[in-house]
Amino acid sequence: MSQQQPPKIEFPCENYPIKVLGEAGPELHTYVVEIMERHAPGFDQERITVRESSKGRYHSVTVWITATGVEQLTAIHEDLRVNTNIKMVM
């Protein structure tokens, strides 16, 4: 059996979503915006969505960027994961 390969992304890729799940609090939103501005300057902050978990302990923050390449996405993921309040990056 051959393994199915994930679809290839064509860059630049507009409207690329990145979802960050972390402990609730304003620090999460601020940190996500800071990292996105560093790696995808000028992204549309009006499109950011924040959802609260059922018990309010976690928030998911979703942003949409124009992805320019694998290097950019890897750098974003690595910078987000440095923060110990962040539990998952998708």
Side-chain angles (χ1 to χ4, degrees):
M1 278 207 254
S2 66
Q3 285 186 331
Q4 185 177 9
Q5 296 295 318
K8 302 253 188 237
I9 299 171
E10 291 186 31
F11 296 105
C13 179
E14 291 185 32
N15 297 312
Y16 186 90
I18 297 176
K19 182 181 274 190
V20 180
L21 177 66
E23 294 180 19
E27 305 84 23
L28 177 66
H29 182 272
T30 302
Y31 188 74
V32 170
V33 169
E34 178 185 308
I35 297 302
M36 292 305 143
E37 277 296 333
R38 183 180 310 153
H39 296 287
F43 79 101
D44 187 359
Q45 292 188 32
E46 296 294 319
R47 290 190 65 195
I48 296 173
T49 60
V50 179
R51 292 207 167 82
E52 190 175 306
S53 67
S54 61
K55 294 184 180 175
R57 183 172 177 198
Y58 297 101
H59 283 171
S60 70
V61 179
T62 304
V63 299
W64 286 264
I65 66 167
T66 297
T68 59
V70 174
E71 299 82 13
Q72 176 201 37
L73 296 176
T74 301
I76 289 171
H77 187 269
E78 288 174 356
D79 282 357
L80 288 169
R81 293 294 296 164
V82 167
N83 187 316
T84 58
N85 292 333
I86 294 177
K87 304 303 178 194
M88 189 181 312
V89 180
M90 299 177 270

